[in-house]
Amino acid sequence: MKKRLLQSLVLLLVGFNLVVGMRVYQAVGAQEKDDSGYSSIAVFARAMQMIRQDYVDESKVTYEDLSHAAMRGMLSSLDPHSQFMEPRDFKGMQDDTNSRFGGLGVVVAQRDGNIVIVNPMEDTPGHRAGLLPSDQIIKIDGQPTEKMDLNDAIKMLRGEPGQKVVLTILRPATKDLKDYTLVRENIKVASVKEAKLLPDELSGDFRIGYARITQFNVPTAEELGKKLDDLEAKGMQAMILDLRYNPGGLLNSAIDVAGQFLPPRTVVASTEGRVPSQSRTYRTSDTVKPRPRYPLAILINTGSASGSEIVAGALKDLNRAILVGETTFGKGSVQSVIQLQDGSAMRLTTAKYYTPSKQVIHEHGVSPTIRATLTPEQERQLLLQRREDLSADPERKEITNFRDTQLERAVDALKGVMIYAEKTGAPKRASAN
């Protein structure tokens, strides 16, 4: 009886909405399309009721299942970064913010319908297995990803530490198709690595510093500041900041990293959306520590995304650094996370990022000042070089003679700046112009 009564009420609502929708449509007269919402809501309610009434498998047609599926499809149709999150997915996103979660350590995105690896995080199962940026995940535990929602793919990649997962990987550069068996771990990634003065055989008579940022976490800017203090105390004359394969992270952290090389209150980025509340300007801190304006080069590639693009784009725009490498990934949109009443949430794209000169990052990326590319084999060797578990690994032999030509180009550029400054008395600075 209650079921029939509910069905009658839904059908009555549908009929009422249809009548109201038709009246609204008639009232507005010659409009090309009725976007008042009434008729569309009526169609949706009618479709949901027919599915619940006639679909063969009753266990799949609860109101929660159908409404969640509808929201998932609605958000995924907008852009690759807008997503509906089940309560469990929302909790997983919160774990990400704390930089600790169970998984494989691969950052993924959706491109042209494919699940693509943006970057394998260092010291994680994905990195140690030899996965590379641009690798396509064809299957997860035998399940094809061709029509899989990005959020569903991320859910399958994550899990309890110690669990195995098999990824079927297509490497576009070589057309190789291969299965990788990985074991999930608790992922905790250090953000600032290899801060050092480059060896004399590379830097020559100059003292050139180097530091690599793997992603932007809460302590990243503070960690980088301490490393810069140490390098400056050792007489550093120029600096290379390596943002290759850095997928981004916290926006405020990226702003603070840029602030290590800029004056206080300098505009680093801005956002613009449809509503005034989404338009905002991001500046460096009032209390940023002043540093010498030594020449600066930033290494970027297609694996540099989001926060990396904000840092690189700002320092290029402001003539504070030269960029060496390849055009970045092009992920420059703002996602607002909106929690819903049942514990689920929406990740909704609400604005786009712009560099200080109002250059759009989204789907364009940040272009280098000096273009320098690596072959797929060189990229593989570079990622191998970054592994910390190769001391007794036969793959160590593969990188004995590896030359990081992008790093070499950055060193040459900085040397040129300093040699020119010595000869002319001009200020030593690396400029994007």
Side-chain angles (χ1 to χ4, degrees):
M1 177 67 71
K2 290 183 178 180
K3 183 177 181 180
R4 287 199 298 272
L5 179 60
L6 178 60
Q7 290 174 341
S8 300
L9 288 172
V10 171
L11 290 172
L12 180 63
L13 174 62
V14 170
F16 174 76
N17 281 335
L18 283 170
V19 172
V20 173
M22 289 180 67
R23 287 177 178 173
V24 170
Y25 183 80
Q26 291 167 355
V28 297
Q31 287 185 350
E32 291 184 4
K33 184 179 180 181
D34 175 20
D35 197 28
S36 62
Y38 289 106
S39 60
S40 297
I41 291 172
V43 170
F44 176 77
R46 175 62 174 165
M48 179 180 282
Q49 184 56 32
M50 293 303 296
I51 293 170
R52 282 181 52 80
Q53 175 180 298
D54 295 337
Y55 183 70
V56 65
D57 190 344
E58 187 177 2
S59 66
K60 294 183 178 180
V61 293
T62 67
Y63 280 116
E64 181 181 77
D65 287 342
L66 293 179
S67 60
H68 281 192
M71 286 188 283
R72 189 179 299 113
M74 181 166 53
L75 285 159
S76 65
S77 71
L78 300 176
D79 64 72
H81 308 293
S82 293
Q83 298 171 353
F84 173 74
M85 291 179 282
E86 303 274 359
R88 186 174 68 175
D89 300 330
F90 181 47
K91 183 180 183 303
M93 187 216 70
Q94 293 173 311
D95 290 341
D96 277 0
T97 304
N98 295 325
S99 300
R100 183 181 289 276
F101 53 92
L104 306 176
V106 291
V107 179
V108 296
Q110 202 157 28
R111 275 187 168 178
D112 302 323
N114 299 313
I115 305 297
V116 177
I117 295 176
V118 178
N119 177 41
M121 300 178 190
E122 290 183 46
D123 307 328
T124 66
H127 184 258
R128 291 193 293 270
L131 300 181
L132 297 177
S134 298
D135 280 352
Q136 294 178 12
I137 302 177
I138 305 301
K139 296 179 183 179
I140 304 174
D141 280 336
Q143 184 171 335
T145 62
E146 183 180 3
K147 297 181 180 179
M148 189 178 291
D149 177 77
L150 178 62
N151 224 39
D152 291 336
I154 293 173
K155 189 187 305 182
M156 292 186 69
L157 294 172
R158 289 185 179 153
E160 292 298 319
Q163 294 178 337
K164 290 184 179 181
V165 59
V166 179
L167 302 185
T168 302
I169 298 293
L170 173 64
R171 186 154 294 163
T174 61
K175 307 300 182 186
D176 289 339
L177 189 67
K178 181 180 177 181
D179 285 343
Y180 291 81
T181 300
L182 297 90
V183 179
R184 295 184 179 97
E185 296 178 1
N186 274 323
I187 307 300
K188 181 70 175 178
V189 182
S191 56
V192 181
K193 292 200 167 189
E194 293 189 65
K196 61 186 178 183
L197 289 177
L198 292 176
D200 293 344
E201 56 266 27
L202 186 59
S203 60
D205 295 331
F206 298 102
R207 290 181 174 270
I208 299 177
Y210 171 91
R212 180 159 52 84
I213 298 180
T214 61
Q215 60 184 18
F216 297 99
N217 296 331
V218 173
T220 303
E222 182 180 355
E223 288 178 15
L224 178 63
K226 292 177 180 178
K227 302 296 185 183
L228 292 175
D229 289 342
D230 293 340
L231 293 173
E232 289 168 10
K234 294 176 181 177
M236 179 176 68
Q237 299 169 285
M239 176 71 189
I240 295 174
L241 187 64
D242 194 343
L243 299 182
R244 292 175 294 181
Y245 310 110
N246 182 322
L250 299 177
L251 172 61
N252 288 338
S253 176
I255 300 299
D256 290 341
V257 165
Q260 293 289 333
F261 307 100
L262 295 169
R265 303 294 300 165
T266 301
V267 173
V268 174
S270 61
T271 59
E272 292 181 12
R274 286 177 61 189
V275 296
S277 61
Q278 298 297 339
S279 298
R280 184 175 173 184
T281 299
Y282 295 88
R283 301 174 181 271
T284 57
S285 169
D286 287 326
T287 58
V288 64
K289 178 179 178 178
R291 296 190 181 278
R293 194 179 167 88
Y294 37 72
L296 176 66
I298 299 178
L299 294 174
I300 54 173
N301 65 2
T302 55
S304 306
S306 193
S308 297
E309 298 175 284
I310 289 171
V311 173
L315 295 176
K316 178 186 178 184
D317 268 12
L318 298 170
N319 295 326
R320 180 61 187 91
I322 54 174
L323 309 186
V324 180
E326 303 167 87
T327 300
T328 59
F329 184 81
K331 199 283 184 183
S333 57
V334 182
Q335 280 71 48
S336 298
V337 177
I338 305 161
Q339 187 170 3
L340 303 175
Q341 294 92 321
D342 64 350
S344 62
M346 296 189 299
R347 189 201 303 266
L348 184 65
T349 300
T350 54
K352 292 181 179 179
Y353 287 115
Y354 294 84
T355 66
S357 66
K358 294 298 181 181
Q359 299 296 311
V360 65
I361 293 173
H362 195 58
E363 296 181 348
H364 291 80
V366 178
S367 59
T369 316
I370 300 173
R371 181 169 175 78
T373 62
L374 297 178
T375 66
E377 178 59 20
Q378 286 176 315
E379 285 198 7
R380 191 180 74 86
Q381 290 178 331
L382 175 61
L383 290 173
L384 276 175
Q385 188 184 58
R386 293 180 172 185
R387 283 171 53 177
E388 297 179 353
D389 60 339
L390 277 178
S391 56
D393 196 312
E395 287 184 308
R396 170 63 72 180
K397 298 177 182 178
E398 297 186 33
I399 61 173
T400 303
N401 299 317
F402 169 67
R403 288 179 53 200
D404 186 347
T405 52
Q406 290 175 329
L407 177 62
E408 290 175 358
R409 289 293 300 275
V411 169
D412 289 343
L414 293 178
K415 285 180 181 178
V417 170
M418 291 185 285
I419 291 171
Y420 176 80
E422 286 181 351
K423 290 184 176 180
T424 64
K428 293 182 181 180
R429 64 173 66 179
S431 170
N433 292 331

